[in-house]
Amino acid sequence: MTKTVLILGANGRFGRNAAAAFSWANWNVIRFDRATDALPDAAWGADIIVNAWNPAYPDWAKLVPQLTKQIIDTAKDTGATVLIPGNLYNYGADMPSELNEATQHRPTGPLGEIRETMERAYKDAGVRTIVLRAGDFIDTAPSGNWYDKVITAKLRKGFVDYPDDLDTPHSWAFLHDLADAAVMLAEQADDLPGFFDINFPGYTLTARELHHALEQVTERHLVLRQMPWWPLLAAKPFWPMAKPLLETRYLWNTPHSVKSLRFTDLLPDFAPTPLHDAIAASLQSDVDPDRIVPRLSGASRRPLNLCCPYSKAT
């Protein structure tokens, strides 16, 4: 029997990828439209509600609790399981170098506290919930995150700009793979505990390792530079986004790697995309329009974005 998933935030990073992954897995996908849809009506009959709503950081304190209550009330009425893309803010600035499901949550700033409170609300409400926690995103299309907005933004000019220490291990998740893992978890939701928190073991890379991978994929010499933070500090008094961005700076200078105690046991058939293939699929065709770069080879569960000459053939 075909199952139904409601995607909240289907135009966002995780939501867009989740919609594609669920569609590929033959789920009935409903993309919620805030302009025309009412949540209780849209969710009726849905087996899974993907909560990919992600307001702008300055609005988190006001909007996240409101949205959380709406989703909890709807899930209670419909019996749907809620699937949430979790992040690393819950661990806080004092997080250890290896993060797994048993790692204590010690949020150290407003963003982490809001996320922790949100997750606790689902657990306390008794709503069946899956939190799939991952590091920073590598996407197959520009989506305004650190990877495409800062790190690879000047590849065409031959530069890789990194937010902080160049030798600190940092955790990444390829959204194509993260979305596939979400589908695989959703398909066994009824067999999972009522509140299930699971980490996604993606890639762990220093800036130098990421820089090297970008050079190999593009077959170009790229200059690695450390991004200055003083513009954000200067903008803090009048730009609302500066404060939350500065709050998360610890993720770039604190070594960390996302691991899982249960991922492989639950998803034994999951086959992660090789790093270089993920990097290739993330780059846009205008990186170097005067050269032809052969597509990478290899198989995947689901075709990668083939919008540009760097993408992997499937």
Side-chain angles (χ1 to χ4, degrees):
M1 181 180 297
T2 301
K3 291 189 175 182
T4 297
V5 58
L6 173 67
I7 310 285
L8 310 180
N11 293 324
R13 301 179 191 111
F14 184 82
R16 173 174 48 81
N17 282 273
F22 276 101
S23 293
W24 182 262
N26 294 318
W27 282 61
N28 177 34
V29 177
I30 302 172
R31 295 167 173 83
F32 185 82
D33 186 339
R34 293 194 207 187
T36 59
D37 294 341
L39 185 55
D41 294 336
W44 200 255
D47 300 281
I48 300 287
I49 299 174
V50 173
N51 177 17
W53 273 340
N54 190 30
Y57 283 156
D59 299 326
W60 271 27
K62 176 183 178 181
L63 294 183
V64 170
Q66 296 176 10
L67 297 174
T68 299
K69 184 178 186 306
Q70 291 178 35
I71 297 168
I72 287 175
D73 290 345
T74 300
K76 281 184 173 181
D77 289 342
T78 64
T81 296
V82 179
L83 191 151
I84 303 170
N87 58 37
L88 307 186
Y89 300 168
N90 305 59
Y91 294 121
D94 298 323
M95 60 184 179
S97 59
E98 181 174 305
L99 308 171
N100 59 48
E101 294 87 357
T103 303
Q104 188 171 356
H105 291 187
R106 295 178 178 175
T108 51
L111 295 181
E113 291 169 357
I114 291 168
R115 292 290 303 197
E116 186 69 13
T117 300
M118 180 197 75
E119 292 179 18
R120 191 181 305 117
Y122 283 99
K123 185 174 184 178
D124 292 345
V127 170
R128 184 174 290 277
T129 305
I130 300 171
V131 179
L132 179 57
R133 197 178 308 282
D136 272 302
F137 293 157
I138 296 174
D139 204 347
T140 56
S143 53
N145 61 5
W146 280 103
Y147 181 83
D148 64 71
K149 196 73 172 177
V150 176
I151 295 173
T152 63
K154 296 182 179 178
L155 278 189
R156 186 173 185 178
K157 296 181 179 180
F159 296 105
V160 175
D161 293 318
Y162 198 77
D164 217 304
D165 185 76
L166 303 182
D167 295 300
T168 296
H170 185 83
S171 181
W172 294 95
F174 184 37
L175 270 170
H176 175 278
D177 287 2
L178 186 67
D180 280 358
V183 174
M184 297 170 78
L185 289 167
E187 289 179 339
Q188 51 184 304
D190 292 343
D191 298 323
L192 300 177
F195 182 88
F196 190 68
D197 188 350
I198 183 169
N199 284 5
F200 178 81
Y203 315 117
T204 302
L205 303 166
T206 65
R208 300 187 195 280
E209 290 169 334
L210 178 57
H211 167 249
H212 182 61
L214 286 164
E215 285 193 320
Q216 289 185 310
V217 169
T218 61
E219 297 183 1
R220 296 181 61 194
H221 170 67
L222 301 170
V223 177
L224 177 61
R225 306 185 299 189
Q226 190 170 353
M227 184 198 85
W229 285 80
W230 65 261
L232 285 178
L233 290 167
K236 189 176 178 181
F238 53 86
W239 187 41
M241 279 293 293
K243 183 178 179 180
L245 289 174
L246 288 166
E247 178 191 331
T248 61
R249 183 176 179 178
Y250 67 88
L251 289 169
W252 300 101
N253 55 36
T254 303
H256 64 277
S257 178
V258 175
K259 305 293 184 182
S260 179
L261 304 174
R262 51 185 72 133
F263 189 91
T264 301
D265 289 340
L266 276 173
L267 282 64
D269 297 327
F270 179 84
T273 300
L275 173 64
H276 285 67
D277 290 355
I279 295 293
S282 74
L283 302 182
Q284 298 304 293
S285 58
D286 65 352
V287 170
D288 193 345
D290 298 324
R291 297 178 59 219
I292 298 177
V293 178
R295 292 181 178 178
L296 303 182
S297 61
S300 66
R301 289 176 312 283
R302 183 167 57 90
L304 293 173
N305 186 346
L306 299 180
C307 67
C308 64
Y310 290 95
S311 296
K312 179 171 69 173
T314 54

